[in-house]
Amino acid sequence: MTFGFASSTGSLNAASADSASRLGRTLEPSEWAAAGIPLLRNPREVVSGLHARHHPQPATAVVAVLDTEERLTASASFARRSVPADGWEFRNALLAHLRRVIPHDLRRRTPVRTAVLLYCRDGDERWTEEDGAWMWGLRDACTLHGLRCGAYITLTHGGWQVLGEGRGGRRPSTGSRPSGLAEAAAEAELPPRTGGGAADALRRAAAR
């Protein structure tokens, strides 16, 4: 009888393939901007309203569905699981919460409602691989639920930022106290902060 040890090559190859798959389920900012994501008319109003309703803390995602007039139709918030950033996992989580709060629109020829995602996280407003995985997940979840894929917004200590557009503001932020809906509406009247040249280029690409 012969005894031996199995080679670890198989497990290393599997881990490498899994990492490559995760990288394939992410979107770069340029890919996001080129995808024709519709611009929000008043992103501050959307952000302030979702912050007032859900009071998100870091590692919390808020998915919201807007009608053609950008009125909030439904929203849900949930904590991100402690797993590697993977667009497939994020897609499944977003889809599960969308199914709980609103019927799908798959029978329509073209989507009329838009889903946006607000993700509260640590760090600054710069794009991360985790953001790319959320973008991929949002786009795929919208396709499977019959919705238009809308803006991806990060909420950090420095404020909020619509990635791929360069629009943002200092309030609300992860350090902001939860405000009432009336106060959120008043804050929404303030002009948004805009980014630099690179952000302007992304915003122009998104507008096309």
Side-chain angles (χ1 to χ4, degrees):
M1 184 177 293
T2 304
F3 295 92
F5 296 95
S7 171
S8 61
T9 304
S11 60
L12 289 174
N13 288 341
S16 178
D18 181 62
S19 177
S21 295
R22 287 202 304 272
L23 288 175
R25 296 188 288 261
T26 187
L27 291 175
E28 298 279 345
S30 57
E31 295 175 300
W32 182 255
I37 306 301
L39 301 178
L40 289 169
R41 290 194 296 270
N42 192 337
R44 186 186 297 277
E45 181 178 3
V46 173
V47 174
S48 297
L50 294 178
H51 184 264
R53 285 176 171 84
H54 294 277
H55 311 162
Q57 299 298 313
T60 301
V62 181
V63 61
V65 179
L66 310 177
D67 66 13
T68 55
E69 300 300 320
E70 283 194 5
R71 291 187 295 259
L72 181 64
T73 302
S75 63
S77 61
F78 58 96
R80 179 202 189 291
R81 292 174 55 200
S82 299
V83 295
D86 187 331
W88 186 79
E89 292 281 352
F90 293 167
R91 185 276 308 273
N92 290 345
L94 290 167
L95 194 56
H97 284 84
L98 284 171
R99 286 170 173 165
R100 290 191 184 106
V101 298
I102 197 165
H104 68 74
D105 277 346
L106 294 171
R107 294 185 181 87
R108 294 182 177 274
R109 288 179 178 271
T110 57
V112 295
R113 295 185 290 192
T114 302
V116 300
L117 177 61
L118 172 71
Y119 183 55
C120 182
R121 62 166 172 78
D122 294 320
D124 57 30
E125 72 276 6
R126 288 175 293 184
W127 179 88
T128 67
E129 287 188 3
E130 182 185 24
D131 294 324
W134 279 115
M135 289 171 166
W136 190 96
L138 176 62
R139 186 185 66 176
D140 218 41
C142 288
T143 299
L144 295 174
H145 207 63
L147 301 169
R148 296 175 75 199
C149 180
Y152 172 69
I153 307 159
T154 57
L155 187 71
T156 64
H157 184 73
W160 58 272
Q161 181 84 7
V162 185
L163 266 69
E165 295 184 23
R167 292 188 292 174
R170 292 185 175 85
R171 290 191 55 177
S173 68
T174 54
S176 298
R177 64 175 179 81
S179 59
L181 293 179
E183 186 179 345
E187 287 183 358
E189 298 301 320
L190 297 173
R193 182 178 64 200
T194 57
D200 290 337
L202 286 174
R203 188 168 64 253
R204 287 194 296 271
R208 291 197 297 270

